[in-house]
Amino acid sequence: MNNKSLSREDHHQRKSKLSSLLATTLLSLTLLLITSTKVAAQAPAARRRLAFTQYNNALFIQGGFTPQQAIGQFNSLDFKTAWKTSSPSWSNLAVGPVLSHHTLVAVKPEHGAGFGGAAQGYLLSIGGNPATPGAFWTAYDFQAGSWKAIPTPLPGNYTGLEGHAAVSDPDTGLVYIVGGFYGNTTENLLTVYDPKTATIVSSQAATDASNRTDVAAVWSSKRKTVLTFGGSRAIPAVSGFDLTNLYEYDPSARIWKTMATTGNIPTRRLDSCAAASEDGSKVVLFGGSLDSNTFFDTIYVLDVVSGVWKQGASASAYRTRMACGFMAGQFVAFGGSKGSNRETTMHDNVPIIYDLDLDVWSTGYDPAGPTGGSGGGGGNGSGSGDDGGGKSNTAVIAGAAGGVVAVILIGVVAFFIFRRRRQNKDKKAAESEARIAASVADEDERQGLGYR
């Protein structure tokens, strides 16, 4: 009996140790996977004056100025998966040109013959500060995952360009570059660039419409025009322009014209951020400043069809010189600054989200839309959707994160099932042992009383 008892005790100890080992291993694996996911999806550096565009259901940001210096960091924020502002779905891509105050536009595969014709398309960086010889036009090749200089001559007599706006027509691929300056020289032609041939198609002299800097612009798929918002005179930079009558460029007529607006018209501003819905019917305009002393936390939505502005709920802080995008009824802004001393008033690297349907600033993004979806997003008019083909690194990271969660959940469920089964077996074993012990005791008692 004693040997059997020791054997059963030893068996229970071994099972207890196995359970402890399994729990420890599962916990270590969980922590390892969570840590790996956080490293892979590391957030980008906070900065201002960065270039941005929306393409392939993601917001791309490149370069910009940190409190210390210009950087070449290149990141994408996934709009295909749901995420919280506390853990946004970022992806780090190949470092690009070290620039600030430049622009970024998307080039679909069918429009990129002049860059080599890669099957997944390109992003084109234009101008920026500092002006680097041979780097005015720089393209990111999604297929190769790398940047390369495009040897197109500079427009006009430019030596550099900053403070300009650039958008592309997703149907033709033509890129429209508005305004800007460099140094103390006004350099604000309307330049039309064709990535199919990597050449400048035309340049028009400055007008009241194009003689501006720090201007926001979108491509309106609804109006088939370039819509511009605010800005100031390039030289000298003063207060922002009025937004009652918007300047827009009509490529078919090759003329500038005005679009009258009504409703809650935004006050004059520059350095704001604008993003258009995919169908071009709505434009969101956020933040900016009146001059070097007055800053805005206000957000407005323009109905392009009716020309009516509607003001939304203000953000929690002023924001200027930022990046932004618009998808599934949600406006997303990142980076920028919030005061006159832009080196010490930088925003952090946490994106903020405005829900157009509910008129609230939320803490989460959902590709299905916060209230079931409303309209797609075209960002700054440079194209969106899956037209570029391929799968971004952001989606890979998002998928990996989902896989991590699945592995953890499966492991936890398996552990508890294993433990429950073991407990049931132990219970049955204990009951069996009790019955055997009782039977033995009864038999001993019967033998002691002379029962045979």
Side-chain angles (χ1 to χ4, degrees), residues 275-287:
S277 60
E278 187 174 22
D279 64 359
S281 64
K282 288 184 174 62
V283 176
V284 177
L285 184 70
F286 173 57

Side-chain angles (χ1 to χ4, degrees), residues 42-295:
Q42 183 177 2
R47 67 255 213 193
R48 57 185 171 86
R49 293 290 199 204
L50 60 164
F52 66 94
T53 193
Q54 196 169 320
Y55 182 59
N56 197 25
N57 291 328
L59 175 66
F60 293 88
I61 61 174
Q62 198 278 319
F65 206 88
T66 69
Q68 294 80 29
Q69 60 188 2
I71 61 175
Q73 194 178 77
F74 181 36
N75 317 87
S76 64
L77 180 59
D78 188 19
F79 282 167
K80 295 178 183 176
T81 58
W83 44 264
K84 298 292 185 181
T85 53
S86 58
S87 56
S89 187
W90 286 109
S91 178
N92 299 326
L93 305 174
V95 173
V98 178
L99 292 170
S100 66
H101 220 180
H102 54 316
T103 56
L104 200 65
V105 295
V107 177
K108 293 181 180 181
E110 60 266 33
H111 300 145
F115 301 162
Q120 296 181 27
Y122 301 86
L123 295 184
L124 176 65
S125 171
I126 305 167
N129 189 357
T132 304
F136 186 92
W137 314 96
T138 309
Y140 175 76
D141 182 337
F142 279 100
Q143 189 169 337
S146 60
W147 292 85
K148 61 180 178 181
I150 306 299
T152 305
L154 275 62
N157 296 317
Y158 289 6
T159 57
L161 188 66
E162 59 179 303
H164 51 295
V167 301
S168 64
D169 178 346
D171 294 329
T172 66
L174 294 176
V175 177
Y176 298 89
I177 306 162
V178 181
F181 73 99
Y182 196 80
N184 293 318
T185 304
T186 300
E187 296 174 332
N188 45 31
L189 301 171
L190 169 70
T191 300
V192 183
Y193 182 89
D194 188 353
K196 293 188 291 294
T197 57
T199 59
I200 294 173
V201 176
S202 65
S203 292
Q204 293 184 16
T207 66
D208 285 344
S210 61
N211 178 20
R212 58 183 63 197
T213 186
D214 298 329
V215 55
V218 301
W219 172 262
S220 174
S221 297
K222 180 66 67 175
R223 299 176 65 87
K224 302 296 182 183
T225 61
V226 180
L227 280 171
T228 64
F229 303 87
S232 68
R233 286 288 175 243
I235 303 295
V238 287
S239 60
F241 284 127
D242 181 79
L243 287 105
T244 302
N245 296 306
L246 301 176
Y247 281 108
E248 64 176 338
Y249 181 73
D250 182 349
S252 60
R254 300 188 64 184
I255 59 171
W256 284 96
K257 54 187 182 182
T258 57
M259 172 186 172
T261 65
T262 60
N264 297 319
I265 300 172
T267 54
R268 294 183 296 129
R269 64 191 59 208
L270 67 151
D271 280 332
S272 55
C273 204
S277 60
E278 187 174 22
D279 64 359
S281 64
K282 288 184 174 62
V283 176
V284 177
L285 184 70
F286 173 57
S289 63
L290 173 66
D291 47 35
S292 59
N293 299 306
T294 304
F295 304 91

Side-chain angles (χ1 to χ4, degrees), residues 304-322:
V304 172
V305 177
S306 65
V308 176
W309 285 101
K310 178 182 177 182
Q311 185 172 357
S314 295
S316 60
Y318 305 138
R319 193 175 294 255
T320 183
R321 301 180 174 184
M322 76 209 85

